[in-house]
Amino acid sequence: MKAIFNTLVCFLLFLSFSIGASAQAIPDTMRLSFGIDAGYPVGSIATRYVASVGGSIRFDYPVSKRSYVTASVGYNNFFLGDGSTTTQEAILNVPVPTLQTMPLKLGYKYYLIKTFYVQGEAGETLILNKTAEYATKSYAFTYAPQIGITFKLKKPHNYIDTGLRYEGVNSFYNDSDKYNYWALHVSYAFNL
């Protein structure tokens, strides 16, 4: 929890400096979005999990004409594949659970052109079923670069936000496993 607190302190400091330094015209107000995520695990966990599905809530705060500071919280459920039968739990005839995580991230979004953006986020991912997974850590460092496109809807100040991101999550154990995956994100966003 100390890492989450440090991340929030850094975010608040960055936000306060950005507000003071943003003398440019800000194009929009704050945005809130609700989305769904579909992921494809890669790397060392790809043999255990075949897909992930989840949801997220993101808050965007404008700091300049083309950029936003972001904060997001999500939920992901990783589905088991055939490789999960070789895990320690399966060998001991213990039912192997799906992995359930909650990423908490802060980031920065920059629009290269009117609707196309690049975004970088970092934070912590909490493991929600730590006991069932026999995890030794409750959270792991997370980073997530993303590209995306925002589509304006006919209703003013409403958008569809789509993106592709690579999410890297450190291990929940004392090993070198990484819980990395590619994710497709689609959300409904509106101005506050």
Side-chain angles (χ1 to χ4, degrees), residues 83-138:
S84 63
T85 59
T86 61
T87 63
Q88 185 176 5
E89 294 91 351
I91 293 169
L92 297 172
N93 290 325
V94 175
V96 180
T98 60
L99 176 66
Q100 299 169 359
T101 64
M102 178 186 288
L104 304 168
K105 299 175 290 191
L106 300 173
Y108 182 76
K109 179 190 287 187
Y110 183 78
Y111 281 86
L112 297 172
I113 56 175
K114 193 171 186 176
T115 60
F116 180 76
Y117 66 85
V118 294
Q119 179 176 336
E121 294 180 301
E124 300 285 341
T125 294
L126 308 175
I127 184 167
L128 299 178
N129 56 344
K130 177 183 175 184
T131 305
E133 289 285 340
Y134 300 103
T136 56
K137 298 178 182 177
S138 299

Side-chain angles (χ1 to χ4, degrees), residues 18-173:
S18 297
I19 291 170
S22 62
Q24 301 178 13
I26 296 175
D28 244 334
T29 62
M30 299 171 282
R31 286 185 190 166
L32 186 64
S33 63
F34 298 91
I36 56 172
D37 300 303
Y40 179 74
V42 294
S44 58
I45 67 162
T47 58
R48 277 179 277 165
Y49 304 105
V50 293
S52 72
V53 174
S56 63
I57 300 171
R58 179 178 293 137
F59 175 74
D60 295 351
Y61 186 86
V63 292
S64 74
K65 190 171 183 175
R66 293 183 171 205
S67 62
Y68 291 82
V69 172
T70 65
S72 65
V73 61
Y75 170 80
N76 292 312
N77 190 31
F78 289 82
F79 296 100
L80 298 167
D82 292 338
S84 63
T85 59
T86 61
T87 63
Q88 185 176 5
E89 294 91 351
I91 293 169
L92 297 172
N93 290 325
V94 175
V96 180
T98 60
L99 176 66
Q100 299 169 359
T101 64
M102 178 186 288
L104 304 168
K105 299 175 290 191
L106 300 173
Y108 182 76
K109 179 190 287 187
Y110 183 78
Y111 281 86
L112 297 172
I113 56 175
K114 193 171 186 176
T115 60
F116 180 76
Y117 66 85
V118 294
Q119 179 176 336
E121 294 180 301
E124 300 285 341
T125 294
L126 308 175
I127 184 167
L128 299 178
N129 56 344
K130 177 183 175 184
T131 305
E133 289 285 340
Y134 300 103
T136 56
K137 298 178 182 177
S138 299
Y139 55 88
F141 174 74
T142 303
Y143 63 93
Q146 175 175 317
I147 58 171
I149 299 174
T150 303
F151 299 97
K152 288 186 178 183
L153 298 176
K154 287 184 180 182
K155 187 176 178 184
H157 307 292
N158 285 257
Y159 313 89
I160 296 293
D161 188 341
T162 61
L164 176 67
R165 77 174 179 279
Y166 177 82
E167 190 143 336
V169 182
N170 285 349
S171 179
F172 297 110
Y173 304 90

